[in-house]
């Protein structure tokens, strides 16, 4: 019975961890995963100079496009054509940066640079 309890506790911990917002990144890089039509985690907090890498784990093409669908800011617009595709961008200045998938505009994310 004890192993079953441990398995259930581990599964619950993993499930709950997906809902906990991330803390500020202290290093020089951070990762965002595209999974089941979502950017995870989002938002994320990073320090200026941090390189953020998005990785597509879905089988279809997504984009990482800066701004919003109604107000693109032109900083980046990268297609990620299928599983394993990546894109990286370094956020040099403090501010809040929104992004979205141009193909699936309900997919949105945010990077907060301090």
């Amino acid at each position: 019975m004890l192993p079953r309890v441990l398995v259930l506790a581990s599964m619950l911990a993993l499930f709950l961890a997906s809902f906990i917002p991330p803390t500020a990144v202290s290093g020089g890089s951070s990762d965002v995963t595209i999974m089941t039509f979502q950017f995870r985690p989002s938002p994320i907090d990073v320090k200026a100079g941090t390189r953020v890498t998005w990785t597509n784990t879905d089988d279809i093409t997504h984009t990482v496009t800066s701004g919003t669908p109604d107000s693109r800011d032109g900083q980046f617009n990268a297609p990620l054509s299928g599983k394993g595709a990546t894109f990286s961008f370094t956020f040099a200045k403090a501010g809040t940066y929104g992004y979205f998938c141009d193909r699936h505009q309900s997919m949105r994310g945010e990077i907060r640079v301090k």
Side-chain angles (χ1 to χ4, degrees):
M1 180 159 183
L2 182 60
R4 195 178 291 176
V5 170
L6 292 176
V7 169
L8 290 174
S10 297
M11 290 173 60
L12 179 60
L14 289 171
F15 174 76
L16 292 175
S18 69
F19 294 101
I20 298 171
T23 58
V25 171
S26 59
S29 66
S30 184
D31 297 318
V32 175
T33 300
I34 300 169
M35 182 184 307
T36 59
F37 294 87
Q38 295 177 14
F39 293 107
R40 296 180 186 182
S42 180
I44 62 171
D45 297 321
V46 299
K47 292 183 178 183
T50 298
R51 178 183 174 130
V52 176
T53 300
W54 289 263
T55 301
N56 186 0
T57 64
D58 288 341
D59 290 324
I60 65 168
T61 298
H62 292 291
T63 73
V64 180
T65 304
S66 60
T68 66
D70 297 329
S71 181
R72 300 160 200 262
D73 65 21
Q75 290 189 59
F76 49 85
N77 183 20
L80 299 177
S81 57
K83 190 175 280 190
T86 64
F87 166 71
S88 296
F89 185 83
T90 300
F91 291 87
K93 296 181 181 180
T96 300
Y97 300 87
Y99 62 91
F100 66 101
C101 175
D102 196 29
R103 297 187 69 210
H104 312 101
Q105 295 184 356
S106 64
M107 291 176 58
R108 298 178 189 208
E110 184 177 85
I111 310 292
R112 298 184 296 216
V113 182
K114 307 202 184 236

